[in-house]
Amino acid sequence: MPGGPVAAGGGINASGSKNKLAGIAMTAFAAFGGILFGYDTGTIAGIKQMPDWLRKFGVHTTDTTTYPLGYYLPSSRESLVVSILSAGTFFGALLGAPVADILGRRIGIMVSCLVFSLGVALQTGSNNLATFVVGRVFAGGGVGLVSTLIPMYQSECSPKWIRGAVVAGYQWAITIGLLLASVINNATKNRPNHSAWQIPISIQFIWAFILTLGMFYLPESPRWLIKKGRDEAAARALSRLTSLPPDDPEVETELNDIRAALAEEQKLGDSTYIDCFRFSDNKIFLRTMSGILIQAWQQLTGINFIFYYGTTFFQNSGIKNPFLISVATNIVNCFMTLPGMWGIERFGRRSLLLYGAVVMCICEFIVAIVGVTISVENQSGQQALIALVCIYIAAFASTWGPIAWVICGEIFPLNIRAKAMSLSAASNWLWNFGIGYATPYLVNSGPGNADLGVKVFFIWGSTCAGCVIFTYFCIPETKGLSLEQVDLLYQNSTPITSVRYREEIIAQDVHVSDIKQEAEHHDEVEKV
């Protein structure tokens, strides 16, 4: 392709299309799947502290001084119960690619809900730890599928001028799920029977039913339909998403761009996972590794330490009602995602990732320093610790939380999008599993444990410094570009120069189909 942008006619989703709310509402609804993700992640943090659950699945002890209930959860068992969900989600995320390519994005999401519901049923009715763990594996498989399919569906169906905010809605739904889980856990934790933990778990059937029902009425991704050669169905789907007639010039322009970009990719043949790592003018290797690594760095910010082990951590820090503190941190996480959704389209992806990582880095180092220099009896110190953790959560919620999913939904070309997104989501869950499994051994006291306690925040602070370096060298600015224009951005700029080149693309209203037509015309002239 030519190296620079060229002028083109009015593009899809120009200013005149910004009042098309139907398509925005449809793609925004798909974000509801994030509630499955967030709620399932959040329930276990409180459930494993509930007296009835500990009596059912914990280990009996005569040390009633340390464990007044007479039961406790060894680090090995705690690691298994918490992290096994992420093992399921890892494989579910990898399965997201064939599911997305064979069944489609929309049907794939509904299948995910069925797998998830099977896991919920097993957990709710479990009489032993093995059944509970198997249930978490199946639930994790459903969540892993959702984590691949929903950002993909939203990115492919959203108007480009608001795509970042729409995909960020997925992260907001995750935070809502986390908040709902902490509230419901707090409401049921003192019930004297199995309903204390069965109610929070079984409520997940409701979330799966709502998402499945809604997806029946949503259109399939036009990009997937084009890839399958179903051009008429793609035109109808795009018509619903834009509230324009199927034969409208704007609809046809968008479809031509999709066809042109796909044709360039298909010249190289059918895509495989190996193709996700090839070096090319399209910078496929950089894009795939950027998606994989941004999800890894998101987990390495340490955020899931708070949501998996926050209740235990605050309790060990001398805070009297750790369940309420957990609710408070989830409220911060939920509501601070909203300014992030606005900021993604106002300030862009790259700058927010940089600033967010800097703030998190500072907060986490201060938390670690405060934690090791004060006693648990120091009330003012504990309040300062909670405040710093809340600032850290706010920085994550408004930057790295939503933007990592937005980036992964935007940077891959259509021909490998399902595979590359599945690898990115699998990376998220692999690191989630590793951190979830290792944390009890890092934080807890006793034989075989590192007993780091609050000092673990020195690790998270260092990894946030790594987030700054990674973003600066690897993540371009993609705000306001169509998915096909992102291909041009990667071909003709670097992450460091992407801000300037992006402005050129928007100013000159570049279309991939126009560039292809000019190239073909140039070739014909040369032949003559």
Side-chain angles (χ1 to χ4, degrees), residues 371-408:
V372 298
T373 54
I374 64 169
S375 68
V376 295
E377 288 80 22
N378 187 322
Q379 186 174 2
S380 298
Q382 295 304 314
Q383 290 173 346
L385 187 147
I386 293 170
L388 286 164
V389 168
C390 287
I391 294 171
Y392 151 67
I393 291 171
F396 175 87
S398 56
T399 57
W400 276 81
I403 296 176
W405 295 106
V406 173
I407 293 294
C408 290

mmCIF file of all heavy atoms in Angstrom, residues 371-408:
data_model
loop_
_atom_site.group_PDB
_atom_site.id
_atom_site.type_symbol
_atom_site.label_atom_id
_atom_site.label_comp_id
_atom_site.label_asym_id
_atom_site.label_seq_id
_atom_site.Cartn_x
_atom_site.Cartn_y
_atom_site.Cartn_z
ATOM 1 N N GLY A 371 2.663 0.948 55.010
ATOM 2 C CA GLY A 371 2.341 -0.332 55.625
ATOM 3 C C GLY A 371 3.456 -0.909 56.468
ATOM 4 O O GLY A 371 3.197 -1.558 57.482
ATOM 5 N N VAL A 372 4.699 -0.682 56.070
ATOM 6 C CA VAL A 372 5.816 -1.258 56.822
ATOM 7 C C VAL A 372 6.321 -0.347 57.934
ATOM 8 O O VAL A 372 7.155 -0.758 58.743
ATOM 9 C CB VAL A 372 7.000 -1.608 55.887
ATOM 10 C CG1 VAL A 372 6.580 -2.645 54.867
ATOM 11 C CG2 VAL A 372 7.556 -0.366 55.215
ATOM 12 N N THR A 373 5.810 0.887 58.000
ATOM 13 C CA THR A 373 6.311 1.823 59.014
ATOM 14 C C THR A 373 5.310 2.123 60.121
ATOM 15 O O THR A 373 5.654 2.838 61.063
ATOM 16 C CB THR A 373 6.724 3.163 58.358
ATOM 17 O OG1 THR A 373 5.621 3.676 57.598
ATOM 18 C CG2 THR A 373 7.922 2.958 57.443
ATOM 19 N N ILE A 374 4.092 1.602 60.025
ATOM 20 C CA ILE A 374 3.109 1.829 61.085
ATOM 21 C C ILE A 374 2.592 0.490 61.587
ATOM 22 O O ILE A 374 2.712 -0.527 60.903
ATOM 23 C CB ILE A 374 1.919 2.687 60.590
ATOM 24 C CG1 ILE A 374 1.136 1.935 59.499
ATOM 25 C CG2 ILE A 374 2.366 4.051 60.100
ATOM 26 C CD1 ILE A 374 -0.182 2.588 59.149
ATOM 27 N N SER A 375 2.001 0.481 62.759
ATOM 28 C CA SER A 375 1.434 -0.738 63.322
ATOM 29 C C SER A 375 -0.029 -0.849 62.931
ATOM 30 O O SER A 375 -0.664 0.138 62.542
ATOM 31 C CB SER A 375 1.552 -0.732 64.851
ATOM 32 O OG SER A 375 0.703 0.260 65.397
ATOM 33 N N VAL A 376 -0.573 -2.058 63.070
ATOM 34 C CA VAL A 376 -1.982 -2.260 62.733
ATOM 35 C C VAL A 376 -2.902 -1.557 63.724
ATOM 36 O O VAL A 376 -4.091 -1.385 63.455
ATOM 37 C CB VAL A 376 -2.325 -3.769 62.677
ATOM 38 C CG1 VAL A 376 -1.571 -4.442 61.555
ATOM 39 C CG2 VAL A 376 -2.038 -4.459 64.009
ATOM 40 N N GLU A 377 -2.369 -1.155 64.871
ATOM 41 C CA GLU A 377 -3.185 -0.445 65.850
ATOM 42 C C GLU A 377 -3.274 1.048 65.559
ATOM 43 O O GLU A 377 -4.044 1.765 66.196
ATOM 44 C CB GLU A 377 -2.614 -0.646 67.268
ATOM 45 C CG GLU A 377 -2.824 -2.036 67.845
ATOM 46 C CD GLU A 377 -1.809 -3.028 67.316
ATOM 47 O OE1 GLU A 377 -0.720 -2.579 66.856
ATOM 48 O OE2 GLU A 377 -2.085 -4.246 67.337
ATOM 49 N N ASN A 378 -2.466 1.524 64.636
ATOM 50 C CA ASN A 378 -2.446 2.947 64.300
ATOM 51 C C ASN A 378 -3.620 3.258 63.382
ATOM 52 O O ASN A 378 -3.574 3.008 62.174
ATOM 53 C CB ASN A 378 -1.124 3.297 63.614
ATOM 54 C CG ASN A 378 -0.962 4.795 63.383
ATOM 55 O OD1 ASN A 378 -1.917 5.485 63.067
ATOM 56 N ND2 ASN A 378 0.261 5.281 63.551
ATOM 57 N N GLN A 379 -4.693 3.809 63.962
ATOM 58 C CA GLN A 379 -5.927 4.016 63.205
ATOM 59 C C GLN A 379 -5.727 5.012 62.062
ATOM 60 O O GLN A 379 -6.213 4.811 60.958
ATOM 61 C CB GLN A 379 -7.036 4.498 64.134
ATOM 62 C CG GLN A 379 -8.395 4.586 63.439
ATOM 63 C CD GLN A 379 -9.514 4.931 64.414
ATOM 64 O OE1 GLN A 379 -9.269 5.133 65.593
ATOM 65 N NE2 GLN A 379 -10.718 5.003 63.917
ATOM 66 N N SER A 380 -5.000 6.109 62.338
ATOM 67 C CA SER A 380 -4.774 7.107 61.292
ATOM 68 C C SER A 380 -3.979 6.511 60.132
ATOM 69 O O SER A 380 -4.269 6.772 58.956
ATOM 70 C CB SER A 380 -4.017 8.309 61.862
ATOM 71 O OG SER A 380 -4.772 8.942 62.861
ATOM 72 N N GLY A 381 -3.001 5.688 60.464
ATOM 73 C CA GLY A 381 -2.213 5.043 59.424
ATOM 74 C C GLY A 381 -3.043 4.103 58.580
ATOM 75 O O GLY A 381 -2.884 4.046 57.350
ATOM 76 N N GLN A 382 -3.933 3.344 59.227
ATOM 77 C CA GLN A 382 -4.794 2.431 58.486
ATOM 78 C C GLN A 382 -5.765 3.180 57.575
ATOM 79 O O GLN A 382 -6.046 2.762 56.457
ATOM 80 C CB GLN A 382 -5.571 1.535 59.456
ATOM 81 C CG GLN A 382 -4.705 0.591 60.271
ATOM 82 C CD GLN A 382 -3.845 -0.289 59.387
ATOM 83 O OE1 GLN A 382 -4.328 -0.859 58.415
ATOM 84 N NE2 GLN A 382 -2.571 -0.396 59.723
ATOM 85 N N GLN A 383 -6.255 4.320 58.046
ATOM 86 C CA GLN A 383 -7.139 5.139 57.218
ATOM 87 C C GLN A 383 -6.379 5.686 56.005
ATOM 88 O O GLN A 383 -6.918 5.749 54.894
ATOM 89 C CB GLN A 383 -7.725 6.274 58.053
ATOM 90 C CG GLN A 383 -8.739 5.802 59.088
ATOM 91 C CD GLN A 383 -9.184 6.911 60.028
ATOM 92 O OE1 GLN A 383 -8.563 7.973 60.092
ATOM 93 N NE2 GLN A 383 -10.259 6.662 60.771
ATOM 94 N N ALA A 384 -5.130 6.093 56.242
ATOM 95 C CA ALA A 384 -4.314 6.578 55.122
ATOM 96 C C ALA A 384 -4.074 5.467 54.107
ATOM 97 O O ALA A 384 -4.114 5.691 52.891
ATOM 98 C CB ALA A 384 -2.986 7.121 55.644
ATOM 99 N N LEU A 385 -3.840 4.260 54.622
ATOM 100 C CA LEU A 385 -3.622 3.120 53.739
ATOM 101 C C LEU A 385 -4.844 2.870 52.872
ATOM 102 O O LEU A 385 -4.733 2.664 51.654
ATOM 103 C CB LEU A 385 -3.292 1.890 54.582
ATOM 104 C CG LEU A 385 -2.866 0.614 53.854
ATOM 105 C CD1 LEU A 385 -1.861 -0.153 54.709
ATOM 106 C CD2 LEU A 385 -4.058 -0.277 53.558
ATOM 107 N N ILE A 386 -6.036 2.906 53.487
ATOM 108 C CA ILE A 386 -7.276 2.695 52.728
ATOM 109 C C ILE A 386 -7.460 3.792 51.678
ATOM 110 O O ILE A 386 -7.837 3.530 50.527
ATOM 111 C CB ILE A 386 -8.485 2.648 53.682
ATOM 112 C CG1 ILE A 386 -8.403 1.410 54.576
ATOM 113 C CG2 ILE A 386 -9.798 2.626 52.896
ATOM 114 C CD1 ILE A 386 -9.405 1.412 55.703
ATOM 115 N N ALA A 387 -7.169 5.052 52.066
ATOM 116 C CA ALA A 387 -7.323 6.173 51.132
ATOM 117 C C ALA A 387 -6.397 6.013 49.926
ATOM 118 O O ALA A 387 -6.804 6.245 48.775
ATOM 119 C CB ALA A 387 -7.038 7.486 51.847
ATOM 120 N N LEU A 388 -5.155 5.611 50.170
ATOM 121 C CA LEU A 388 -4.201 5.427 49.076
ATOM 122 C C LEU A 388 -4.615 4.282 48.161
ATOM 123 O O LEU A 388 -4.477 4.374 46.936
ATOM 124 C CB LEU A 388 -2.808 5.171 49.647
ATOM 125 C CG LEU A 388 -2.107 6.402 50.236
ATOM 126 C CD1 LEU A 388 -0.929 5.977 51.113
ATOM 127 C CD2 LEU A 388 -1.631 7.326 49.116
ATOM 128 N N VAL A 389 -5.119 3.209 48.764
ATOM 129 C CA VAL A 389 -5.610 2.092 47.955
ATOM 130 C C VAL A 389 -6.771 2.552 47.078
ATOM 131 O O VAL A 389 -6.872 2.174 45.901
ATOM 132 C CB VAL A 389 -6.024 0.910 48.852
ATOM 133 C CG1 VAL A 389 -6.816 -0.126 48.046
ATOM 134 C CG2 VAL A 389 -4.801 0.254 49.472
ATOM 135 N N CYS A 390 -7.640 3.387 47.615
ATOM 136 C CA CYS A 390 -8.780 3.896 46.833
ATOM 137 C C CYS A 390 -8.312 4.786 45.683
ATOM 138 O O CYS A 390 -8.879 4.736 44.585
ATOM 139 C CB CYS A 390 -9.744 4.651 47.742
ATOM 140 S SG CYS A 390 -10.715 3.581 48.828
ATOM 141 N N ILE A 391 -7.279 5.616 45.919
ATOM 142 C CA ILE A 391 -6.742 6.458 44.840
ATOM 143 C C ILE A 391 -6.137 5.575 43.751
ATOM 144 O O ILE A 391 -6.321 5.809 42.550
ATOM 145 C CB ILE A 391 -5.693 7.440 45.390
ATOM 146 C CG1 ILE A 391 -6.360 8.449 46.336
ATOM 147 C CG2 ILE A 391 -5.006 8.186 44.248
ATOM 148 C CD1 ILE A 391 -5.374 9.320 47.088
ATOM 149 N N TYR A 392 -5.427 4.553 44.182
ATOM 150 C CA TYR A 392 -4.830 3.599 43.239
ATOM 151 C C TYR A 392 -5.920 2.911 42.411
ATOM 152 O O TYR A 392 -5.810 2.788 41.174
ATOM 153 C CB TYR A 392 -3.999 2.599 44.036
ATOM 154 C CG TYR A 392 -3.882 1.225 43.435
ATOM 155 C CD1 TYR A 392 -3.202 1.004 42.240
ATOM 156 C CD2 TYR A 392 -4.437 0.120 44.079
ATOM 157 C CE1 TYR A 392 -3.077 -0.265 41.711
ATOM 158 C CE2 TYR A 392 -4.322 -1.152 43.557
ATOM 159 C CZ TYR A 392 -3.647 -1.339 42.374
ATOM 160 O OH TYR A 392 -3.533 -2.595 41.846
ATOM 161 N N ILE A 393 -6.994 2.465 43.067
ATOM 162 C CA ILE A 393 -8.101 1.812 42.358
ATOM 163 C C ILE A 393 -8.750 2.791 41.375
ATOM 164 O O ILE A 393 -9.091 2.429 40.246
ATOM 165 C CB ILE A 393 -9.139 1.275 43.353
ATOM 166 C CG1 ILE A 393 -8.560 0.102 44.151
ATOM 167 C CG2 ILE A 393 -10.406 0.816 42.628
ATOM 168 C CD1 ILE A 393 -9.436 -0.340 45.302
ATOM 169 N N ALA A 394 -8.909 4.054 41.802
ATOM 170 C CA ALA A 394 -9.504 5.067 40.925
ATOM 171 C C ALA A 394 -8.650 5.268 39.677
ATOM 172 O O ALA A 394 -9.179 5.400 38.561
ATOM 173 C CB ALA A 394 -9.659 6.384 41.684
ATOM 174 N N ALA A 395 -7.329 5.299 39.846
ATOM 175 C CA ALA A 395 -6.436 5.462 38.693
ATOM 176 C C ALA A 395 -6.546 4.267 37.754
ATOM 177 O O ALA A 395 -6.595 4.430 36.522
ATOM 178 C CB ALA A 395 -4.997 5.629 39.172
ATOM 179 N N PHE A 396 -6.614 3.063 38.309
ATOM 180 C CA PHE A 396 -6.765 1.868 37.472
ATOM 181 C C PHE A 396 -8.108 1.884 36.750
ATOM 182 O O PHE A 396 -8.184 1.625 35.549
ATOM 183 C CB PHE A 396 -6.663 0.611 38.336
ATOM 184 C CG PHE A 396 -6.934 -0.661 37.572
ATOM 185 C CD1 PHE A 396 -5.916 -1.306 36.892
ATOM 186 C CD2 PHE A 396 -8.211 -1.211 37.516
ATOM 187 C CE1 PHE A 396 -6.157 -2.467 36.170
ATOM 188 C CE2 PHE A 396 -8.466 -2.373 36.802
ATOM 189 C CZ PHE A 396 -7.431 -2.999 36.120
ATOM 190 N N ALA A 397 -9.170 2.183 37.473
ATOM 191 C CA ALA A 397 -10.526 2.111 36.916
ATOM 192 C C ALA A 397 -10.725 3.088 35.767
ATOM 193 O O ALA A 397 -11.495 2.814 34.841
ATOM 194 C CB ALA A 397 -11.553 2.372 38.009
ATOM 195 N N SER A 398 -10.050 4.218 35.821
ATOM 196 C CA SER A 398 -10.244 5.238 34.786
ATOM 197 C C SER A 398 -9.230 5.145 33.652
ATOM 198 O O SER A 398 -9.314 5.899 32.685
ATOM 199 C CB SER A 398 -10.181 6.641 35.412
ATOM 200 O OG SER A 398 -8.967 6.833 36.105
ATOM 201 N N THR A 399 -8.271 4.218 33.754
ATOM 202 C CA THR A 399 -7.259 4.110 32.696
ATOM 203 C C THR A 399 -7.038 2.652 32.280
ATOM 204 O O THR A 399 -7.643 2.176 31.330
ATOM 205 C CB THR A 399 -5.928 4.746 33.161
ATOM 206 O OG1 THR A 399 -5.476 4.109 34.369
ATOM 207 C CG2 THR A 399 -6.111 6.237 33.441
ATOM 208 N N TRP A 400 -6.204 1.944 33.004
ATOM 209 C CA TRP A 400 -5.803 0.603 32.571
ATOM 210 C C TRP A 400 -6.946 -0.399 32.584
ATOM 211 O O TRP A 400 -6.942 -1.344 31.792
ATOM 212 C CB TRP A 400 -4.646 0.102 33.447
ATOM 213 C CG TRP A 400 -3.341 0.610 32.949
ATOM 214 C CD1 TRP A 400 -2.797 1.849 33.176
ATOM 215 C CD2 TRP A 400 -2.423 -0.072 32.090
ATOM 216 N NE1 TRP A 400 -1.608 1.974 32.512
ATOM 217 C CE2 TRP A 400 -1.345 0.816 31.849
ATOM 218 C CE3 TRP A 400 -2.409 -1.335 31.521
ATOM 219 C CZ2 TRP A 400 -0.269 0.463 31.042
ATOM 220 C CZ3 TRP A 400 -1.331 -1.693 30.722
ATOM 221 C CH2 TRP A 400 -0.274 -0.793 30.485
ATOM 222 N N GLY A 401 -7.921 -0.229 33.463
ATOM 223 C CA GLY A 401 -9.047 -1.156 33.498
ATOM 224 C C GLY A 401 -9.773 -1.247 32.166
ATOM 225 O O GLY A 401 -9.803 -2.310 31.526
ATOM 226 N N PRO A 402 -10.350 -0.129 31.688
ATOM 227 C CA PRO A 402 -11.082 -0.204 30.417
ATOM 228 C C PRO A 402 -10.202 -0.172 29.177
ATOM 229 O O PRO A 402 -10.508 -0.817 28.181
ATOM 230 C CB PRO A 402 -11.985 1.045 30.469
ATOM 231 C CG PRO A 402 -11.280 1.996 31.380
ATOM 232 C CD PRO A 402 -10.566 1.152 32.394
ATOM 233 N N ILE A 403 -9.092 0.568 29.234
ATOM 234 C CA ILE A 403 -8.352 0.828 27.992
ATOM 235 C C ILE A 403 -7.651 -0.417 27.472
ATOM 236 O O ILE A 403 -7.485 -0.590 26.260
ATOM 237 C CB ILE A 403 -7.360 1.995 28.184
ATOM 238 C CG1 ILE A 403 -8.130 3.279 28.486
ATOM 239 C CG2 ILE A 403 -6.518 2.210 26.932
ATOM 240 C CD1 ILE A 403 -7.252 4.472 28.798
ATOM 241 N N ALA A 404 -7.240 -1.313 28.358
ATOM 242 C CA ALA A 404 -6.596 -2.548 27.870
ATOM 243 C C ALA A 404 -7.541 -3.313 26.955
ATOM 244 O O ALA A 404 -7.117 -3.847 25.913
ATOM 245 C CB ALA A 404 -6.174 -3.414 29.059
ATOM 246 N N TRP A 405 -8.827 -3.381 27.318
ATOM 247 C CA TRP A 405 -9.804 -4.080 26.473
ATOM 248 C C TRP A 405 -10.078 -3.301 25.194
ATOM 249 O O TRP A 405 -10.284 -3.886 24.123
ATOM 250 C CB TRP A 405 -11.098 -4.308 27.252
ATOM 251 C CG TRP A 405 -10.919 -5.220 28.415
ATOM 252 C CD1 TRP A 405 -10.880 -4.872 29.734
ATOM 253 C CD2 TRP A 405 -10.714 -6.638 28.375
ATOM 254 N NE1 TRP A 405 -10.671 -5.988 30.515
ATOM 255 C CE2 TRP A 405 -10.570 -7.082 29.709
ATOM 256 C CE3 TRP A 405 -10.645 -7.571 27.345
ATOM 257 C CZ2 TRP A 405 -10.351 -8.420 30.030
ATOM 258 C CZ3 TRP A 405 -10.436 -8.907 27.662
ATOM 259 C CH2 TRP A 405 -10.287 -9.315 28.991
ATOM 260 N N VAL A 406 -10.093 -1.974 25.285
ATOM 261 C CA VAL A 406 -10.312 -1.151 24.090
ATOM 262 C C VAL A 406 -9.180 -1.372 23.089
ATOM 263 O O VAL A 406 -9.416 -1.571 21.887
ATOM 264 C CB VAL A 406 -10.405 0.347 24.478
ATOM 265 C CG1 VAL A 406 -10.456 1.224 23.226
ATOM 266 C CG2 VAL A 406 -11.643 0.592 25.331
ATOM 267 N N ILE A 407 -7.947 -1.326 23.571
ATOM 268 C CA ILE A 407 -6.789 -1.520 22.694
ATOM 269 C C ILE A 407 -6.859 -2.869 21.992
ATOM 270 O O ILE A 407 -6.650 -2.976 20.774
ATOM 271 C CB ILE A 407 -5.475 -1.408 23.499
ATOM 272 C CG1 ILE A 407 -5.263 0.021 24.006
ATOM 273 C CG2 ILE A 407 -4.280 -1.861 22.661
ATOM 274 C CD1 ILE A 407 -5.025 1.052 22.935
ATOM 275 N N CYS A 408 -7.161 -3.915 22.746
ATOM 276 C CA CYS A 408 -7.220 -5.258 22.150
ATOM 277 C C CYS A 408 -8.346 -5.386 21.132
ATOM 278 O O CYS A 408 -8.275 -6.207 20.216
ATOM 279 C CB CYS A 408 -7.383 -6.315 23.247
ATOM 280 S SG CYS A 408 -5.904 -6.525 24.257
#
